[in-house]
C-alpha cells in the first residue's frame, strides 16, 4: 500500500477525526483546547522550531527509516511493499496496529 504525501500538515490533520487529534495532542504537552481546530493549531505551533526535532527524536528506529524513505521518494510516497522487502517489516502505524497516536502518522498520512 502506498501513502500519498498531503499538501500541508494542517490539511493532513484536518483529515483525522477528533479522537485522533486528541491522541496526537498527548505528545505535545497538556492539551487544554477542546475544539479540533484549536488542538490542530496547538500541534502546529508546537512543531515549529524544536518541536519538529522532538517529534522525530521520539520515533523508533524503524519509523525513522520509513520517514526517510518517504522523504527521499521522488513523489513523496511511502510504499509499504518496498519497505517490507528492504527491512522485513513495517513500523506500527496506528489505526491498523493498535496505536492510533503514533507520531509517524504526523509525517506519513494515509489517504482516507
Amino acid at each position: 500500500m502506498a501513502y500519498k504525501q498531503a499538501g500541508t500538515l494542517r490539511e493532513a490533520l484536518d483529515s483525522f477525526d477528533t479522537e485522533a487529534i486528541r491522541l496526537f495532542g498527548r505528545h505535545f504537552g497538556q492539551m487544554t483546547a477542546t475544539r479540533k481546530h484549536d488542538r490542530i493549531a496547538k500541534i502546529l505551533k508546537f512543531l515549529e522550531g524544536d518541536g519538529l526535532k522532538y517529534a522525530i527524536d521520539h520515533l523508533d528506529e524503524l519509523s525513522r527509516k520509513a520517514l526517510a524513505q518517504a522523504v527521499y521518494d521522488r513523489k513523496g510516497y511511502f510504499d509499504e511493499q518496498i519497505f517490507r522487502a528492504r527491512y522485513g517489516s513495517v513500523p506500527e502505524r496506528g489505526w491498523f496496529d493498535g496505536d492510533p497516536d503514533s507520531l509517524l502518522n504526523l509525517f506519513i498520512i494515509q489517504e482516507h
Side-chain angles (χ1 to χ4, degrees), residues 62 66 78 80-92:
L62 195 61
F78 172 68
E80 278 189 8
Q81 291 179 332
I82 292 172
F83 191 86
R84 187 181 304 277
R86 181 174 291 156
Y87 297 105
S89 65
V90 294
E92 293 186 11

Side-chain angles (χ1 to χ4, degrees), residues 40-57:
I40 289 172
K42 183 169 173 98
I43 290 169
L44 292 172
K45 181 72 174 167
F46 182 86
L47 289 173
E48 293 176 359
D50 292 339
L52 181 59
K53 182 179 181 332
Y54 167 89
I56 292 171
D57 286 348

Side-chain angles (χ1 to χ4, degrees), residues 26-95:
R26 295 186 316 181
H27 292 288
F28 306 111
Q30 185 176 8
M31 184 66 71
T32 56
T34 56
R35 293 182 23 208
K36 179 181 174 181
H37 174 78
D38 294 337
R39 288 180 177 176
I40 289 172
K42 183 169 173 98
I43 290 169
L44 292 172
K45 181 72 174 167
F46 182 86
L47 289 173
E48 293 176 359
D50 292 339
L52 181 59
K53 182 179 181 332
Y54 167 89
I56 292 171
D57 286 348
H58 282 81
L59 294 174
D60 60 60
E61 183 178 343
L62 195 61
S63 295
R64 280 191 213 123
K65 289 177 180 178
L67 177 58
Q69 178 181 309
V71 166
Y72 289 105
D73 183 87
R74 286 183 218 159
K75 296 180 182 177
Y77 286 87
F78 172 68
D79 189 312
E80 278 189 8
Q81 291 179 332
I82 292 172
F83 191 86
R84 187 181 304 277
R86 181 174 291 156
Y87 297 105
S89 65
V90 294
E92 293 186 11
R93 287 298 314 279
W95 289 268

